[in-house]
Structure formats: structure tokens, C-alpha cells
Amino acid sequence: MKEFWNSIKKARGWLVIVAIIFLINTLTTGHFLYVLSQFNNVENIGRLIVAIVVILLWLFITFKLIQSLFKRKIKRYLRVCILTLIYSVILFVIASVAATALSKLGQFTTTKTTYSASIVALKDNKATDLKGIGNKKIGILNDEKSVDGYQIPQEIIKSNNLKNKIEKYDSYPHLIDALLEEKIEYVFLPTNYAIMFKSMEQYQDLGEKTKIIYTQKKEIANEKRASKKLTEPFTVLLMGVDSELEDVRNSSYNGDSLMLLTFNPKTLSTTIMSIPRDTYVPIACFPNKRKNKITHAAWYGEDCMIDTIEGFTGVTIDYYAKINFKGVVKLVDALGGIDVYVPRGFCEQDSNRDFGNLQCLEPGQQTINGEQALAWARHRKSAGFDDFVRGQNQQEVVKGILNKLKDVRDLDTVYKILDSLGNTMETNMTRDEILSLYNVGKDVLLKSRDMPMEELLSMQKLYISGYDQYIYDYSQIDGAGTGLELYNFVPYKQSLKEITDAMKINLGLKEHKMVKTFSFDVNEEYEESVIGKGNYSGSSVTLLPDFTGYDKSEAIAFGAEHGFTVTIKETTGSTMGMIVNQNLPSGMDVDYVTNLVIYVVTSPIAEEPEEEIEEEPEETPSETPEPTDEPEQTPEPTPEPTSTPTPTPIVPGVPGENE
């Protein structure tokens, strides 16, 4: 031992070099092993073997370095030191690349949603900040559950000590109308309001007419859902976000594109269902789960949208992935475009909603870039396009992306893909859950070299059949609603049942019934059947009729059948027993009618008595009448009796009806 320390003292310079090399190798080895341990559920046996090899190499290098101190043969061990440094650098680079990939995966995962609310005024308002609004009234949404319509505004009021009078409104359209009609000068709205309400015709230019005075954000923890092994069947809700902002986390949004997927890793079978944004369903976060367009559930965040879809399908949603439309553009471009078949040509605005930069596609098989893919996925206004066609096109874009992803082999493209998604995508999957898809992905890649992805994954398209219906948006139960007649898509119950059955079968929740008979005609081209698509009938929504001109007995019978009371008010008219008016507009969903007031003719219109005309004694006319310059006057006709004006329908809380 004494000789060892003496040799160390004689070779202090070499000791320093060996110590530095040992430290570098130890740190890089530890860093590599830590990063390797983060790849949970990825090649577990392979990772274990690599870890053992790296540890053995560390022990070997450490032994050699110590040995060099004893033998002091610097030239002999110099090669060991140089090779150790090269090995450590390689180890560090590999670990750094892997750590970067993990970090990029982790940025997609979120447990919170960022909401943002703003004080909004008309464009010509002179105020530019909170000080400029003075003591003017501010409108706010009368819904304590709304984060960006009520909760954040209350925090703005409190934190800035605002003494303004606050006016409460039952809905966002009421707020906006009050602002546009200058009944109030300031209102609280979600910061992304211009996009949220752009689908409503009367608010398409809302962003041009208004400006934001002040904005505040708030993060809300998402509802915690049970974790699930991705080796078992699971569901994913894909949400396309219509937002002009790059960051998908910093704005409320419309559920512009909704696709519900089920995936069975054991059979590699997939079902995919597009949900039209105007689908009329109970909204989980609305008071009393009032029915409305499903896109409006997105105003309350991901949890509300998920709860809403689970409510009307009966299928539990395990995960969601939300992607900004700008993210779609970047992803497709990172993949070098996607191959699709476009059945008909069209032109659409770009991702910045700029019609000056139209994206036009001709029909046929082609490779399209990101802007073109987004245009095809969102277009619905030309002939031959609608919400259903758009849903099918969105599915084709997803297939095109999957087919390109399976061909990715180089790390540079992987980085481009991860960078392209960046802050434009988020999911409630944890990083470990994302990594657990590795084994499924590897299995898919090995089998998909010579076949399209949709064939390998047995992608089964589901189609919601339904009918168009304009429904007056108002609930008499709680006075909620826009007071507007809105377009809705009402699904057929049987179509929805067939779709949900198919999803549950793929998830292993329901037994599959084997088809025992099959018929075909060799003279006719075989057409694949699409579950949910067919000829269905039966209305699932009953609307309030216009009873004007009907007998009161019909209104009373209708009310008894649908569970609401009918109150009769007497009026005058020409036809006894006839209804001349009602207090609620026709077209309301009868589920939200509690009391219908009808105005019934119970007495005739009182006729005005005729005036008696006194007869004057006849004068003997002269033989020659005297000429006159005054024109001959025609006697005025006796006025006809007028009927009593009938009352105008009154809807409490609906603008325009009480004015």
C-alpha cells in the first residue's frame, strides 16, 4: 500500500488525468442509465441487456484506469484513456438524443387546461386599458360553471378592484348583442371569441367590429381519469381545434373536428367515427344538460366535451388528443406530404383564414401538402360537400398521415415531426402511456411494409345518419338559450345504436354476432357496407307547433301528451274557439316547454253601431243649376269595424320578444 501511495505521489499529473477521465466516464454512464430507465415498457429485456453491458464496461474501464496508476506505463494506457473519452462522448450523445426525444414527448402531455377571458369593447371605443373604462357597466355571463365567462371575470373584478356595475346575461349571444346594439359598452368574453362565434352568421365579422381591452388567463386541472394499460382495447377522442393562435393551450375553442376512435391492440382493429359539429345532443356542462350543438361543449373545455360524448354514445373515452389546425399543416409538411384521392375539386381559405391565399385542389389521386390537407379536411360549402363529406375527408387525412408515419425510419424526420407538433398538440396521455404504444407500433410497422395502414389496422368507418332540423334555442325551464333558430343535425336513434354497438364489440365489451348469410351479384360491383349509414326514420326530437288557427282542444291534447300545461287566455275574434296566438314560438324542443299560454277567441268582435242619418227636407231644384267652380265631392265611405289586435308571443329572457 505504501508503494502505491508513493507511486501516486510520483505521478500526480497522470493521477489528475485518470481522475478526470474516470469522472467523465462515471457521469456519462450514470446519465445514460438514467435516461434508459425512463423508457418504460419499451424493449424491457433489450434495455436490461444494454444496462448490464454499460455497467460492465464502466467496471472494466475503471479497472484499467486504476491499473494504469500502478504500472505507470503511460504510453500503454494512453490508448485506453483516449478510447474511454470517445466512448463517453458517444454515450453522452446517445443519452442526450434520447432525453431530447423524451422531453418532446413530454411536452404533449397535460394535466391542465388554460382558459383566457377578456374585456371586449366596440372598435371605436377610446379605452385602451382598464383605466379607460371608467365606471361604465360591464356585461358578464350568468353561469358560475363557466371558467372564461364567469370565474375569470370575477377574478379580474376582484384583483383590479373594479367598482363598475355588472350586468348578467343568460348567454354569450345575449352579451354580444347587448354590446353590438350599444346597450352596454363592455363585456367579458373568452379571448378567442372571434373564432368561437364565427360559425354563427350574425357574428362572422365580430372580430372586425370589436377589440380587446384587457386579458387574464387561468389554469384549471383536468378531471383525473383512470389510467389504462394500452395493451388492452382503448378509446381516443381526436379534437381538431379551430384557433388562430399557435399555442393550443392558450385559448378556448370550437369542437370543429371530432373523431372518436376505438383501438384493439390484440386484433389491430380500429373503428373511427366522425361527429358532425352541429349534432344535437345534451351538453354535460349546460344547466340541466340542455341540448345544443355538440361544438358548444368545447366552450367549457375538454372534460365537458368528453362527458358530453360519453353521455350520448354510452362509450367511455380513455384518452383525448387535441391538435390545432396549424399543427396539422406542420405535421403533414414534416412528413413530406400525404397521398390521397380527392373526388371533386374545390378552393378553400388557408390556415390563417386568408381568402387571398386560396388553397385549390383538382380531383384525382395526388400528394398534397399541409395547407392543402387542412383545406380538404375543413371544406364544406361547395356543391357536393357538407358536414358528412367533411368528416369522411378528415378520416382520409388521418389515414394519409398514418401511412406516411409507418415509412419513417430516420431520426431527423422523427425530430421534425415532434417539432412540428410542439405547442400545437396536447393529450392527457402520460409520457409512459405514450411509450407503451411502442410495442403496438413495432408490430404494426413489421406487418405494414407491403400493405396500406387502413388494411392492416382494419379501419372500420362508422357513419352517423340523421336529419337536418332548425330548432328554436330556448329553454323555459331555466330561461337559458340564445333565442335564435339554429341549424342542428339530429341523429337517428337506430343509427347511433348500431355505431355504438360496433365500438363496444371492438372494445370487447359486447359479443360480436357472426353473419351467417351473404348474398351478392356478379354483375354488380360490391360496395362495402358502412355501419350506421342507411335508410332510417323516426324523429327523436319533437318541436312545438304553431297552433295559430287551430282549435284549443288540439293544443291541450298536445300538451298533455308531452308533459306541459296549457293555459288559456280569452280574446276576441271572428272564429269562436280558434287559437289566435301563443306565448312561445314554434320550433322549440318540447322537452324545454313547461307552460304554453294560448289566446283563444271566446267572444265575437264588437261591431260599432251605425249612425242614424237624419233626413233633410227636399229642396225644389231650380230649372237651371247655377254653375260652380268647386269640384264635386265624393262622400267618404263608412269605416269597416276593426278587430282587436292579437297579443305578440312573449318569451321571457329572449331578446327582441319583449321589446
Side-chain angles (χ1 to χ4, degrees):
M1 182 62 68
K2 193 173 183 179
E3 293 180 3
F4 172 75
W5 288 112
N6 289 333
S7 64
I8 292 295
K9 290 179 181 179
K10 293 178 182 179
R12 290 180 181 177
W14 179 247
L15 173 64
V16 171
I17 294 173
V18 169
I20 291 173
I21 293 173
F22 170 77
L23 184 62
I24 291 173
N25 180 247
T26 300
L27 291 176
T28 53
T29 299
H31 179 232
F32 179 85
L33 292 174
Y34 171 76
V35 173
L36 190 66
S37 68
Q38 299 301 300
F39 284 84
N40 293 328
N41 302 315
V42 176
E43 299 290 355
N44 291 332
I45 296 178
R47 285 190 303 124
L48 179 61
I49 293 173
V50 170
I52 292 173
V53 170
V54 169
I55 292 172
L56 290 175
L57 283 172
W58 177 82
L59 291 172
F60 174 77
I61 290 169
T62 301
F63 171 76
K64 285 294 182 181
L65 291 175
I66 294 174
Q67 191 179 50
S68 70
L69 293 174
F70 277 105
K71 296 187 176 182
R72 295 177 58 191
K73 295 179 179 180
I74 297 176
K75 290 183 179 180
R76 178 179 174 182
Y77 288 98
L78 187 61
R79 287 178 299 175
V80 175
C81 294
I82 294 173
L83 290 174
T84 299
L85 286 174
I86 294 173
Y87 166 73
S88 297
V89 170
I90 294 172
L91 211 60
F92 177 77
V93 170
I94 294 173
S96 297
V97 170
T100 301
L102 284 175
S103 175
K104 290 180 182 295
L105 281 179
Q107 70 184 348
F108 302 140
T109 299
T110 182
T111 57
K112 299 178 180 178
T113 297
T114 301
Y115 293 86
S116 180
S118 300
I119 296 179
V120 179
L122 293 177
K123 203 79 168 181
D124 57 0
N125 192 300
K126 295 181 180 180
T128 57
D129 53 28
L130 284 178
K131 293 181 180 178
I133 69 176
N135 60 354
K136 300 292 185 181
K137 290 187 293 186
I138 308 177
I140 190 174
L141 187 67
N142 187 22
D143 183 358
E144 296 182 6
K145 292 182 179 180
S146 176
V147 178
D148 43 14
Y150 183 88
Q151 295 177 17
I152 298 179
Q154 290 292 351
E155 292 178 5
I156 293 175
I157 293 169
K158 184 177 180 180
S159 60
N160 293 280
N161 197 27
L162 299 182
K163 303 299 183 182
N164 305 68
K165 183 178 179 181
I166 304 300
E167 294 280 348
K168 294 183 178 180
Y169 291 82
D170 290 331
S171 68
Y172 282 129
H174 290 176
L175 268 173
I176 297 170
D177 289 341
L179 177 66
L180 296 177
E181 295 168 10
E182 299 186 31
K183 295 178 181 178
I184 195 168
E185 293 192 44
Y186 303 96
V187 295
F188 285 106
L189 291 174
T191 303
N192 202 30
Y193 67 93
I195 297 298
M196 285 176 63
F197 304 106
K198 199 175 184 70
S199 60
M200 296 184 180
E201 186 176 350
Q202 65 271 38
Y203 303 134
Q204 287 186 351
D205 57 352
L206 185 60
E208 300 169 9
K209 293 180 178 180
T210 58
K211 66 178 182 179
I212 292 176
I213 303 295
Y214 179 82
T215 296
Q216 186 166 307
K217 297 177 182 179
K218 181 178 182 179
E219 285 188 341
I220 301 291
N222 293 335
E223 180 182 333
K224 185 172 179 59
R225 297 178 180 272
S227 59
K228 190 170 187 177
K229 292 183 179 179
L230 297 187
T231 54
E232 299 296 323
F234 61 90
T235 57
V236 179
L237 176 63
L238 299 180
M239 296 184 282
V241 177
D242 189 3
S243 172
E244 293 178 343
L245 302 176
E246 285 284 348
D247 194 343
V248 74
R249 296 172 175 84
N250 287 338
S251 63
S252 300
Y253 65 100
N254 276 338
D256 196 72
S257 171
L258 299 169
M259 282 186 280
L260 182 58
L261 286 78
T262 68
F263 180 66
N264 191 323
K266 299 175 181 178
T267 61
L268 294 183
S269 57
T270 307
T271 68
I272 179 169
M273 174 183 70
S274 294
I275 305 173
R277 57 179 294 169
D278 295 318
T279 305
Y280 188 65
V281 296
I283 306 298
C285 303
F286 279 13
N288 301 308
K289 295 186 178 181
R290 180 169 55 87
K291 292 181 183 178
N292 215 281
K293 296 171 182 279
I294 195 170
T295 184
H296 294 165
W299 297 353
Y300 289 78
E302 294 80 32
D303 287 337
C304 183
M305 178 61 78
I306 290 171
D307 290 342
T308 296
I309 295 176
E310 286 182 342
F312 94 92
T313 62
V315 176
T316 300
I317 296 174
D318 300 308
Y319 302 103
Y320 77 81
K322 186 171 72 172
I323 184 168
N324 194 319
F325 280 162
K326 292 182 182 293
V328 175
V329 174
K330 292 180 179 180
L331 175 59
V332 172
D333 286 339
L335 290 169
I338 57 174
D339 300 322
V340 297
Y341 176 77
V342 180
R344 56 181 66 84
F346 68 92
C347 288
E348 180 59 77
Q349 60 191 347
D350 65 5
S351 60
N352 294 318
R353 295 184 170 276
D354 182 9
F355 279 104
N357 186 26
L358 284 178
Q359 302 296 315
C360 297
L361 287 177
E362 296 296 328
Q365 183 71 30
Q366 56 199 287
T367 300
I368 59 178
N369 62 29
E371 286 287 357
Q372 292 170 328
L374 176 60
W376 192 40
R378 81 195 308 188
H379 188 73
R380 64 170 180 167
K381 293 186 177 179
S382 298
F385 288 85
D386 55 24
D387 267 334
F388 299 101
V389 173
R390 181 169 68 165
Q392 299 299 311
N393 293 344
Q394 290 168 356
Q395 293 182 21
E396 293 301 320
V397 169
V398 171
K399 289 180 182 179
I401 291 173
L402 290 175
N403 276 320
K404 272 303 183 76
L405 282 173
K406 73 181 178 65
D407 296 329
V408 174
R409 296 291 185 273
D410 62 289
L411 193 60
D412 184 54
T413 303
V414 172
Y415 273 146
K416 283 182 180 179
I417 292 170
L418 294 176
D419 287 335
S420 70
L421 295 174
N423 60 354
T424 62
M425 175 183 169
E426 71 173 21
T427 178
N428 62 342
M429 281 187 180
T430 64
R431 189 180 68 185
D432 288 347
E433 287 170 333
I434 295 174
L435 288 172
S436 68
L437 289 170
Y438 167 81
N439 293 322
V440 176
K442 183 180 71 172
D443 193 23
V444 169
L445 290 175
L446 291 174
K447 296 178 180 178
S448 65
R449 293 180 181 274
D450 301 320
M451 66 174 67
M453 186 69 80
E454 63 266 26
E455 292 182 17
L456 176 66
L457 296 181
S458 302
M459 282 192 176
Q460 187 175 46
K461 289 191 282 186
L462 308 177
Y463 184 97
I464 301 179
S465 295
Y467 59 94
D468 300 335
Q469 184 70 70
Y470 280 89
I471 301 174
Y472 194 89
D473 183 29
Y474 175 68
S475 170
Q476 199 180 28
I477 297 171
D478 47 28
T482 62
L484 302 172
E485 190 177 56
L486 302 178
Y487 166 78
N488 292 274
F489 169 75
V490 183
Y492 286 118
K493 291 181 179 179
Q494 184 59 30
S495 173
L496 186 60
K497 183 180 183 305
E498 292 175 5
I499 288 170
T500 55
D501 284 349
M503 288 190 286
K504 289 176 181 178
I505 289 170
N506 194 46
L507 293 170
L509 302 175
K510 194 168 185 176
E511 186 178 351
H512 178 64
K513 293 182 179 179
M514 186 68 67
V515 178
K516 297 182 179 180
T517 59
F518 179 76
S519 61
F520 66 95
D521 188 336
V522 293
N523 297 317
E524 293 183 7
E525 184 179 352
Y526 171 72
E527 183 177 347
E528 181 185 2
S529 62
V530 179
I531 294 176
K533 187 175 184 179
N535 296 319
Y536 302 93
S537 61
S539 173
S540 57
V541 176
T542 303
L543 303 183
L544 183 68
D546 181 358
F547 287 109
T548 303
Y550 287 82
D551 186 84
K552 65 179 181 180
S553 61
E554 297 184 54
I556 294 171
F558 186 86
E561 181 183 353
H562 293 72
F564 61 83
T565 60
V566 176
T567 301
I568 299 173
K569 289 195 175 182
E570 299 178 349
T571 187
T572 58
S574 56
T575 306
M576 300 294 290
M578 178 184 290
I579 301 171
V580 294
N581 217 323
Q582 59 192 55
N583 73 320
L584 298 176
S586 60
M588 279 183 61
D589 188 334
V590 296
D591 288 344
Y592 304 110
V593 177
T594 58
N595 178 48
L596 176 67
V597 179
I598 56 175
Y599 298 85
V600 180
V601 176
T602 57
S603 59
I605 299 171
E607 296 184 2
E608 296 181 7
E610 295 184 4
E611 295 183 4
E612 294 184 4
I613 302 174
E614 296 182 3
E615 294 184 2
E616 297 182 2
E618 295 183 5
E619 296 182 2
T620 305
S622 59
E623 294 180 0
T624 305
E626 294 182 4
T628 177
D629 294 332
E630 295 181 8
E632 184 177 351
Q633 296 183 357
T634 304
E636 295 183 6
T638 304
E640 295 287 339
T642 57
S643 60
T644 304
T646 55
T648 304
I650 298 172
V651 179
V654 179
E657 297 294 336
N658 289 332
E659 297 177 3

